[in-house]
Amino acid sequence: MCIRDSVELDDGTILASFFTTPGQGDVFAEPDIARHVGLIRSTDGGRSWEQKPIRLPSSFASSATNGPPVVLADGSVVLSVYGYVDEGQPKRLGLFRSTDDGQSWMLQSIVRAEHELQEPSVAQLHDGRLVMIARPEGSIMWSDDRGETWTEPVNFGMRMYETGLLVLGDGTLLCLHGSYGGRGFRALFSTDGGLTWIAPADKYGFAVDAHTYGYGKGILLPDGSVYAVYIHTGGHRIRDARRNAIWDIRLRVRDDHSGIDVLPPPGSG
C-alpha cells in the first residue's frame, strides 16, 4: 500500500488516499482493489482507521493517486487520480468528487493528452476555479465548473515529478516539485493562478533541498509559512532503503515574490 496524503475535514475526520501495487507473491484480501485507488477515514485524530477501504467507482483499468484530497469552498471534496483508461494510449487524469465527507464518490471528469499525465495535484484558487498540474511535462489545466470540464493541458516548459499545489493566503499559487537532473526538492510560484510562473531558471524552481530526491508534500501553517515533508532517496533497491530518511523543512514565499526563505523549525527561536 502507498499512502499518498490526507486531509482533515470540517468535522475533524481525517481522510487518507492510497493505492496498492502488488508485488511478486503478494496476496490481497480484495484483489479487485489491488491496482486501484482507495480511501480510509479516521475519526480520532489518526489513532485508528477504518479497516474496509472506500473504493472509487473507477472507469480506469488501473489507477493511482498523488493526493491529497482537497476540500473545496462549497464543502465537497475532490481527489485527482491517474492511470490507464484507453487501451494502448498514455495515462490519463481523473477527478472524483464527494459531497458526503468522502463516504461515496463520483467521477467528475477524465483529462486526456497526447503524452503521459501522471502524479497530478489539484487546488482551488481564490476566484473559485480549480487548477491541476501533472508530471512529467508540468502540464497545467483549469476548470471553472468544479472539475466537470477542463481546459486543454498546457506544458509550460518545466519537467517535474511529485507535484504539489498550495494556494497561499494572498492568493499566490505555490508548486512544490521534484526536479529532473538530480536538482532535488524545489518550488516555483505564480501570482496569476498558474498562467505564468516565477522561478530562478527555465528548467527548475527555487531550491528547497537540492541534495535529496525530494518526493514530498507541504501544508500551509497558520503563520503563512509552509511545512514540507520529503524523502532522501528515490531508489528502489535494498541499499537505497537502508540509507533513506524522511526530512522536513519550513519555507516562506517572500512578500515581494523574489524567492523563498527557508525558516527555522517552530519553537526553535
Side-chain angles (χ1 to χ4, degrees):
M1 178 187 294
C2 182
I3 296 288
R4 296 311 300 153
D5 223 324
S6 61
V7 66
E8 185 175 4
L9 307 181
D10 289 341
D11 66 356
T13 298
I14 299 176
L15 181 64
S17 60
F18 70 91
F19 66 93
T20 51
T21 301
Q24 185 176 1
D26 282 350
V27 177
F28 290 87
E30 298 180 277
D32 52 342
I33 201 173
R35 295 182 183 272
H36 288 288
V37 173
L39 298 105
I40 50 176
R41 303 191 308 158
S42 171
T43 58
D44 57 8
R47 288 181 289 274
S48 63
W49 295 86
E50 294 173 336
Q51 296 302 300
K52 184 175 178 58
I54 301 165
R55 307 181 191 185
L56 293 181
S58 181
S59 57
F60 286 71
S62 62
S63 61
T65 181
N66 194 41
V70 175
V71 180
L72 303 185
D74 65 2
S76 63
V77 186
V78 294
L79 178 67
S80 55
V81 307
Y82 64 101
Y84 292 107
V85 180
D86 309 304
E87 185 175 353
Q89 296 298 310
K91 289 180 179 177
R92 314 300 196 184
L93 304 182
L95 190 81
F96 289 82
R97 181 168 170 256
S98 171
T99 57
D100 56 7
D101 297 327
Q103 297 181 72
S104 63
W105 296 81
M106 56 186 172
L107 178 62
Q108 287 280 95
S109 55
I110 293 177
V111 179
R112 293 172 169 84
E114 294 182 356
H115 56 273
E116 293 277 310
L117 295 170
Q118 304 177 49
E119 296 180 353
S121 179
V122 63
Q124 186 170 37
L125 301 172
H126 282 187
D127 63 9
R129 290 180 300 152
L130 299 186
V131 57
M132 187 158 56
I133 194 168
R135 174 182 183 170
E137 305 300 336
S139 304
I140 189 167
M141 61 224 76
W142 296 266
S143 171
D144 58 9
D145 54 12
R146 296 185 302 183
E148 292 188 14
T149 60
W150 294 86
T151 60
E152 288 292 325
V154 176
N155 303 335
F156 65 90
M158 190 177 295
R159 304 189 79 237
M160 57 183 64
Y161 56 85
E162 183 63 0
T163 59
L165 294 178
L166 287 172
V167 179
L168 308 184
D170 65 354
T172 298
L173 180 63
L174 173 69
C175 178
L176 297 171
H177 66 94
S179 183
Y180 287 96
R183 294 190 176 96
F185 192 34
R186 296 197 169 249
L188 65 157
F189 45 86
S190 171
T191 59
D192 57 12
L195 293 173
T196 60
W197 293 87
I198 298 169
D202 292 338
K203 302 301 181 184
Y204 54 88
F206 297 96
V208 176
D209 188 338
H211 304 290
T212 61
Y213 183 61
Y215 252 69
K217 277 293 187 292
I219 60 171
L220 184 63
L221 298 180
D223 67 357
S225 65
V226 173
Y227 175 71
V229 177
Y230 53 101
I231 62 174
H232 180 74
T233 175
H236 298 283
R237 297 164 296 186
I238 292 177
R239 67 182 184 184
D240 296 317
R242 286 173 176 162
R243 65 186 182 90
N244 206 356
I246 298 175
W247 297 89
D248 64 335
I249 202 167
R250 280 179 67 226
L251 63 105
R252 188 190 304 273
V253 176
R254 294 173 184 166
D255 291 339
D256 63 1
H257 296 103
S258 61
I260 66 169
D261 291 317
V262 174
L263 305 176
S268 67

